[in-house]
Amino acid sequence: MENPLHPFELHPIWHLSLFGLDISLNKAVIMMWVVIALAAGLLIMAASSRRFVPTKLQSLAEILVEFIRGIILDTIGKEGMRFFPFVATLFVFILFCNLLGLIPGSYTVTSQIVVTAAFALFVYTMSLVVGFLFHGVKFLGILIPPGTPAWLLPLMMPVELISQLARPLSLAVRLFANMTAGHTVLAVLFGMVLSLPLVIGWLPFAFSVAINGLEVIIAFIQAYIFTILTCVYLGDAINLHGHEAQAH
Amino acid sequence: MPPSRDPFMAGLGQAVRIGTELLAALIVGGGLGWLADTYLFASGPWGVVAGLILGAIAGVLNAYRAAQRWTDGGSGAES
């Protein structure tokens, strides 16, 4: 049977190098370009017809905007609307990567931990920068949960430090692991379909169809979680120990 | 209707979070302990032991905080 992890391997299609830096094109890079082109094209097309009674595409785009606006208002508050372009871009890119990866023969960019880790590190670094910009040195107080008795500080500071450092890791691993696991299961099932006789071979085929449906839901959910956690981290940095978001 | 308040999506989103939340803190704690052991103090296994314990605490704390968000805005909010 074929190695189920084979679909994740990347081989350079076109060797390129820039000042000794390897920038060879491979399937993942091309897939990312396709995702960007498709997402940008669809959204620009949706926004080009600004009708009062929206077209189908326009109402989809409006649902998307309302959805992301709801997430930001729920988790950060009004202050967070200035991050709307960033959060919306992140959500649309991850969602399109996840969904287009389900098309047979394409490639799931988010199944590469390099990609998800780059996103996660960028988001986390941004939340740190935003925190220090908003609160200055007082932002270090994020390591001290409010209402901690002084004798607990030696225990709470390392615990808080670890829980902060765990954020980018959990962000990166969650998306990567969900995508990789789903596609591996699909590959194993398809491998069974090919290697079993027809009498029993229809069973894994039926399963693979069902799991494909599940994968569509997971593609949405994972994009949603990545976005909402981005907002939560930004919100923690902006409303230090505050509860403005809940007051909304 | 903002779909982010759709209880199904929101609930599923919250549920999927918890598992990795526990694991990531444990890995970071153990990793920091190991780094301290190998490069800083040469303190035998004790850095990893302390790191894993702290990581477990941090993981449970993270999961607890993630779960606490469920009740925010709901009727049974306790602080």
Side-chain angles (χ1 to χ4, degrees), chain A residues 179-203:
Chain A
M179 289 300 127
T180 308
H183 285 259
T184 310
V185 168
L186 283 178
V188 168
L189 284 173
F190 274 122
M192 282 179 175
V193 175
L194 293 180
S195 59
L196 287 175
L198 192 64
V199 192
I200 191 133
W202 62 271
L203 201 62

Side-chain angles (χ1 to χ4, degrees), chain A residues 93-211:
Chain A
F93 186 78
I94 295 176
L95 181 66
F96 271 67
C97 282
N98 292 352
L99 284 180
L100 288 185
L102 284 173
I103 299 170
S106 69
Y107 190 84
T108 321
V109 186
T110 40
S111 70
Q112 290 288 323
I113 199 164
V114 191
V115 176
T116 60
F119 279 153
L121 283 178
F122 183 80
V123 164
Y124 188 66
T125 315
M126 195 169 103
S127 82
L128 288 186
V129 170
V130 166
F132 277 114
L133 278 183
F134 268 64
H135 303 285
V137 191
K138 263 198 284 178
F139 182 61
L140 287 175
I142 201 167
L143 292 178
I144 304 165
T148 314
W151 58 273
L152 259 180
L153 279 183
L155 180 66
M156 287 313 285
M157 297 260 287
V159 166
E160 283 292 322
L161 186 69
I162 290 172
S163 92
Q164 283 287 323
L165 290 178
R167 285 177 165 191
L169 186 76
S170 73
L171 208 53
V173 167
R174 185 182 301 111
L175 182 57
F176 149 78
N178 272 286
M179 289 300 127
T180 308
H183 285 259
T184 310
V185 168
L186 283 178
V188 168
L189 284 173
F190 274 122
M192 282 179 175
V193 175
L194 293 180
S195 59
L196 287 175
L198 192 64
V199 192
I200 191 133
W202 62 271
L203 201 62
F205 184 72
F207 265 115
S208 71
V209 171
I211 288 191

Side-chain angles (χ1 to χ4, degrees), chain A residues 10-96:
Chain A
L10 282 174
H11 303 287
I13 295 173
W14 189 20
H15 289 276
L16 282 176
S17 77
L18 182 75
F19 306 121
L21 208 66
D22 184 18
I23 54 163
S24 304
L25 291 184
N26 56 32
K27 230 175 158 182
V29 177
I30 292 169
M31 200 60 211
M32 272 194 246
W33 288 347
V34 171
V35 164
I36 293 170
L38 206 66
L42 273 179
L43 285 176
I44 289 171
M45 238 163 67
S48 63
S49 63
R50 292 189 187 167
R51 293 199 215 154
F52 190 65
V53 179
T55 58
K56 278 177 193 161
L57 203 58
Q58 193 187 340
S59 34
L60 262 182
E62 281 174 7
I63 291 175
L64 181 78
V65 167
E66 274 299 304
F67 177 62
I68 295 164
R69 192 168 163 272
I71 295 178
I72 293 180
L73 286 182
D74 278 353
T75 48
I76 312 181
K78 280 222 171 62
E79 195 76 12
M81 283 311 285
R82 66 175 80 173
F83 296 104
F84 181 87
F86 171 71
V87 173
T89 312
L90 196 68
F91 177 76
V92 170
F93 186 78
I94 295 176
L95 181 66
F96 271 67

